[in-house]
Amino acid sequence: MHMPSVEPVWTDEVLDFAQGLASQARTIALRWFRHQPDIELKADDSPVTVADRGVEAFLRDEIARRYPNHGLLGEEFGMQAGDAEVLWSIDPIDGTRSFITGNPLWGCLLAVLHQQQPLIGIVDIPYMAERWVAVRGRGCWLNGERCRTSKTTDLAQAVLQSTSPDLFSDADLQAFEHLSKAVHLRRFGGDCYAYALLVSGYVDLVVETRLMPYDYLPLIPLIQEAGGVITDWQGQPLGLGSDGRVVAAANAVLHRQALARLTAQATGC
């Protein structure tokens, strides 16, 4: 997949604006957290609250006001001008199940894509006051400190994380279990926080399915700039049309081993 080599001249301006949006979104979401907002079920049986919709509506309005020519992709209100040169990806509350059960490990995800490629990624964890920010070619940072993935290259020593085994299909769960048997430790929960822990060197692998573009697009700059690798289960780059199966690893060596285990199970080898 082609990666634009020249950073747009507007990168700093948009980065500052995006960080300001993340701070305001944090305030809005925290007003609802642990205050038992009404819960509805969407068509896919996933929960949604007034907090999800309120945060995304705010972000879309602010972006459209500042950059009317930019496209928008969000979990709650869909795609607008998806063929624009600059596209914003919004997941207002990644981890709504955590949010509605009082678990603080939920976040707001923002990405800015230039020519369909993620340029800026932000993972903001409001309750923890932690924010991971990356710009392609500039590194990844947590609250101003540089992030690096772990140096673990042996699958037998790796820590594997995923949101929940309930989210896998039967076939995908078998592949995940095959990988799990080869690692040192596996943990569940965390949603976007699992990837943030990978970026900071505490987790070595994150494997999931059924993700949407707004779930993973903000993660791509973070993981790559911290030294990691993130692809689909076939090892292909993630994009707007990916199938939702994601493998994130601390480094290329570990990534190859994880893919081999998943592929071996999928092919019956």
Side-chain angles (χ1 to χ4, degrees):
M1 183 177 291
H2 174 64
M3 296 291 287
S5 58
V6 179
E7 181 180 293
V9 296
W10 43 256
T11 300
D12 286 335
E13 174 195 328
V14 172
L15 175 62
D16 289 344
F17 179 65
Q19 292 222 62
L21 289 181
S23 295
Q24 294 175 79
R26 177 188 290 188
T27 300
I28 295 169
L30 285 173
R31 290 175 189 158
W32 292 101
F33 184 52
R34 294 182 177 171
H35 288 277
Q36 299 182 326
D38 291 338
I39 302 165
E40 300 177 27
L41 291 180
K42 295 188 283 189
D44 63 356
D45 289 331
S46 63
V48 63
T49 72
V50 64
D52 299 81
R53 291 171 175 154
V55 170
E56 183 170 328
F58 164 78
L59 292 171
R60 294 175 80 102
D61 287 348
E62 292 298 308
I63 294 166
R65 183 178 296 111
R66 179 75 170 263
Y67 300 111
N69 295 325
H70 289 190
L72 296 166
L73 167 65
E75 178 172 8
E76 307 306 332
F77 301 111
M79 180 78 84
Q80 176 183 334
D83 58 350
E85 180 179 358
V86 181
L87 176 68
W88 291 73
S89 170
I90 303 167
D91 191 344
I93 296 182
D94 182 82
T96 299
R97 291 178 177 87
S98 292
F99 185 91
I100 64 178
T101 56
N103 186 318
L105 303 183
W106 49 274
C108 177
L109 310 187
L110 290 173
V112 179
L113 283 69
H114 178 232
Q115 298 176 358
Q116 303 293 305
Q117 300 300 318
L119 173 68
I120 296 169
I122 296 176
V123 172
D124 188 77
I125 310 297
Y127 197 79
M128 310 293 284
E130 293 178 321
R131 181 178 301 162
W132 285 261
V133 179
V135 179
R136 189 177 63 227
R138 296 195 195 178
C140 177
W141 308 82
L142 164 60
N143 292 355
E145 295 188 10
R146 187 70 179 262
C147 296
R148 299 286 188 186
T149 56
S150 81
K151 299 184 182 299
T152 302
T153 56
D154 182 357
L155 201 58
Q157 300 300 318
V159 176
L160 167 66
Q161 190 151 341
S162 189
T163 295
S164 172
D166 297 338
L167 300 178
F168 290 95
S169 68
D170 289 344
D172 288 343
L173 182 57
Q174 289 180 14
F176 178 80
E177 293 286 358
H178 188 61
L179 172 59
S180 294
K181 292 175 182 177
V183 304
H184 170 64
L185 176 67
R186 72 175 190 177
R187 301 291 295 168
F188 291 108
D191 299 285
C192 61
Y193 203 65
Y195 297 91
L197 292 176
L198 185 147
V199 165
S200 290
Y202 299 108
V203 170
D204 305 304
L205 289 166
V206 183
V207 175
E208 297 193 294
T209 65
R210 296 174 59 187
L211 298 188
M212 300 299 290
Y214 43 74
D215 292 314
Y216 57 72
L217 290 172
L219 306 173
I220 295 172
L222 272 71
I223 291 170
Q224 292 179 342
E225 290 300 316
V229 180
I230 181 169
T231 69
D232 67 15
W233 283 24
Q234 288 72 48
Q236 297 302 307
L238 295 170
L240 290 169
S242 298
D243 68 3
R245 293 175 172 86
V246 171
V247 180
N251 51 70
V253 174
L254 202 60
H255 182 260
R256 284 194 295 270
Q257 294 175 54
L259 286 181
R261 294 287 294 191
L262 291 170
T263 303
Q265 179 64 28
T267 58
C269 297

